[in-house]
Amino acid sequence: MTFTTKARACAAAAAAAAGLALVGLGAPAAHAEQASAGEPCGYLDMGRYNHCGTGSVAVDVDQWNPAFPSSLYCVGPGITDLDNHSTEDWGVYYASYAPGYEGCTVGAVWVP
């Protein structure tokens, strides 16, 4: 393997790793804002989700991303902007509670 071939292979691996970070894997945790008493629980609008319970849970996030149309995102109590983990601010169009992931690490993102 020549130096040029090795360099191209390293560059391709680095680009792949950067691409995974762009779709949310390893993205920084979104901070939940305090919900007002009148806010409903669950998906609100514009990529926002209100977790009314205690502790952390996963939500199944549906987004306009053909490579990852659905992913799980761990949220804590309060309103979380789910668009923070996608590459587009308009990417999330719905989210719902995903049972079985209680106690997850807030901000974690994974593809089921």
Side-chain angles (χ1 to χ4, degrees):
M1 186 180 285
T2 67
F3 174 77
T4 304
T5 305
K6 286 181 185 178
R8 285 183 184 154
C10 289
L20 288 176
L22 286 176
V23 297
L25 300 175
H31 297 283
E33 61 185 72
Q34 191 71 8
S36 67
E39 291 281 0
C41 299
Y43 185 73
L44 299 176
D45 60 7
M46 302 298 293
R48 297 180 321 133
Y49 187 87
N50 185 14
H51 172 44
C52 295
T54 60
S56 60
V57 297
V59 292
D60 186 0
V61 178
D62 297 324
Q63 53 199 344
W64 300 110
N65 182 337
F68 297 97
S70 179
S71 61
L72 296 176
Y73 189 71
C74 185
V75 300
I79 298 174
T80 301
D81 181 1
L82 299 171
D83 280 325
N84 283 345
H85 89 279
S86 71
T87 57
E88 305 291 343
D89 279 340
W90 49 267
V92 174
Y93 62 88
Y94 189 72
S96 59
Y97 169 71
Y101 299 98
E102 294 77 10
C104 55
T105 302
V106 174
V109 179
W110 63 100
V111 178

